[in-house]
Amino acid sequence: MRLADTPRQADFRAELRAWLAKTLPELPPAPDPADWPGRRAYDLGWQRRLFEAGYAGLNWPRDSGGRGLGPAEHLVFLEETELAGAPYVGACFVGLLHAGPTVAAEGTAGQRARWLPPILRGEEVWCQGFSEPDAGSDLASLRTRAVRDGDAYVVSGSKIWTSHAEVADWCELLVRTDPEAPRHRGISWLAMPMDAPGVTVRPLATLAGTTEFAELFLDEVRIPVGNRVGAENDGWRVTNVTLSFERGTAFASEAVACRRELRQLAALARENGCWEDDALRRRIGALAAEFGALWRLVQWNVSQAAAGEEGARSASAKGGGGRREGVPGPGGSVFKLRFSEARQELYELAADVLGDDSLLLGHPFTAARLQGLSYTIAAGTSQIQRNIVAQRILGLPKGG
Ligand SMILES: Cc1cc2nc3c(=O)[nH]c(=O)nc-3n(C[C@H](O)[C@H](O)[C@H](O)COP(=O)(O)OP(=O)(O)OC[C@H]3O[C@@H](n4cnc5c(N)ncnc54)[C@H](O)[C@@H]3O)c2cc1C
């Protein structure tokens, strides 16, 4: 793995940096965090601008509307956009960072042509319907059932913690297509249109006061069989591809955002006198080193995945077999585990620097601190990441 830019990457970085310097000042102010329709419009608008300027789907295949560049250019993109303070991916998170990549890796040509270009053009939002009230960490115990009826599945059940469901057009949905099969073998991965009859979305309020996620109730929803990605009952393998992207690369840019926020925090500490506190300065230094190391870990994970090495190892460990080029391996769990904890430490530090101001709900660091509490739960809890590291990387036996 090269850590320094090649001449081609350096040119790409310079060109992107110039574009960001010109474009970011032209953007309208970000909407209120509680205004989800406003946030959807804003996030899609930013994605559209990226697409029009040629910065969407840099590492997606050309037949999916992407530019077919390598993972190195994608990482340059993530790093430069975050360091420049560009808008967060927001409502486009699931589509761009794990549903889209799953369709690119596992979908048919027709599915790629239908679903991927609208994600890149900033036209459609996806959400993730994996978790159920009794199936979170133990995802394979999911019960939402899909019964085949001609050329459709009739789906009934419920999902929970579905981020962005309120404003989504599509849902990557896990359903049980064979209730008799061993539980990992009877699952299928479907793309469900959120406006299908029988879909009810009930938003849930978070600690930060916004409706980040929702409950989904599915009452005999008809989903065309053609919306199934992967073979019937092979959804567990497809799910692992989705989760590999979610843990391996979806949070990567946020590690860079933490580096930027840490610099803001150091400046604030200098202004308000906290900088004189040796212990606090040491915490800032330790976190700066950690976020730097986490970014290197992302680069390593991505370069391994590009070579197909980790992907191949994890696919065979799951009995999937075959070389899965471009799909991150279990190394993503190391990143997810430590990133989510370090991010929480960052905002604890922010609360110490802000003092009484950290009680103001409207302060960006306070909002981030409240939201950051969920990071050790979302996309698989820290305990589950530790299990994955123990079993799939260290090769330790599974507990009884
Ligand atoms: C902000 C946020 C956004 C989310 N967005 C989505 C989304 O868009 N779509 C979606 O489908 N889901 C989403 N989730 C759900 C998330 O994936 C689950 O909350 C998570 O997987 C944990 O499942 P659970 O809540 O059912 O907890 P449980 O699985 O009930 O776990 C409870 C506790 O037991 C521990 N535990 C459970 N099993 C084990 C084990 N085998 N070994 C050790 N410890 C264990 C867990 O680590 C945890 O501490 C989101 C969650 C959050 C917080």
Side-chain angles (χ1 to χ4, degrees), residues 128 130-131 136-137 161-163 213 374 377-379 381 383-384 387:
Q128 179 189 43
F130 281 16
S131 306
S137 302
W161 315 128
T162 315
S163 304
F213 39 42
S374 66
I377 302 171
T381 66
Q383 289 85 348
I384 294 303
N387 285 350

Side-chain angles (χ1 to χ4, degrees), residues 178-201:
D178 183 354
E180 306 302 326
R183 52 198 206 120
H184 291 87
R185 305 244 173 87
I187 293 172
S188 298
W189 196 111
L190 306 181
M192 176 178 77
M194 290 295 283
D195 61 359
V199 178
T200 305
V201 177

Side-chain angles (χ1 to χ4, degrees), residues 53-132:
Y55 293 120
L58 292 171
N59 60 337
W60 288 26
R62 284 181 180 278
D63 74 348
S64 308
R67 272 183 64 180
L69 299 176
E73 280 81 7
H74 177 57
L75 290 184
V76 168
F77 170 80
L78 294 181
E79 194 171 22
E80 289 301 324
T81 45
E82 277 303 336
L83 289 176
Y88 179 59
V89 63
C92 300
F93 184 96
V94 171
L96 279 171
L97 298 175
H98 54 84
T102 303
V103 172
E106 297 288 336
T108 61
Q111 290 173 334
R112 293 200 299 274
R114 165 61 190 91
W115 289 316
L116 299 181
I119 294 175
L120 293 185
R121 289 195 300 257
E123 291 167 358
E124 290 182 346
V125 166
W126 283 64
C127 64
Q128 179 189 43
F130 281 16
S131 306
E132 296 183 6

Side-chain angles (χ1 to χ4, degrees), residues 177-231:
T177 29
D178 183 354
E180 306 302 326
R183 52 198 206 120
H184 291 87
R185 305 244 173 87
I187 293 172
S188 298
W189 196 111
L190 306 181
M192 176 178 77
M194 290 295 283
D195 61 359
V199 178
T200 305
V201 177
R202 194 159 75 196
L204 296 166
T206 68
L207 189 63
T210 74
T211 50
E212 194 79 29
F213 39 42
E215 288 175 285
L216 284 189
F217 298 97
L218 309 173
D219 182 15
E220 302 204 339
V221 181
R222 288 186 75 85
I223 303 178
V225 170
N227 287 21
R228 192 190 65 231
V229 173

Side-chain angles (χ1 to χ4, degrees), residues 244-326:
S244 297
F245 283 113
E246 190 174 9
R247 293 162 186 170
T249 45
F251 295 101
S253 64
E254 293 188 57
V256 183
C258 287
R259 273 157 63 192
R260 179 169 47 79
E261 292 186 328
L262 198 58
R263 277 205 297 277
Q264 287 169 3
L265 207 56
L268 208 61
R270 283 196 181 88
E271 275 167 32
N272 74 7
C274 287
W275 192 251
E276 304 311 316
D277 179 343
D278 286 351
L280 189 130
R281 269 206 320 276
R282 262 199 298 277
R283 283 163 71 194
I284 292 180
L287 278 176
E290 180 133 37
F291 286 120
L294 281 166
W295 180 246
R296 292 306 190 203
L297 183 59
V298 167
Q299 289 178 308
W300 182 80
N301 275 340
V302 167
S303 66
Q304 292 286 95
E309 291 169 19
E310 273 224 79
R313 248 194 287 147
S314 68
S316 55
K318 285 182 268 168
R323 191 178 165 84
R324 301 224 35 83
E325 193 174 324

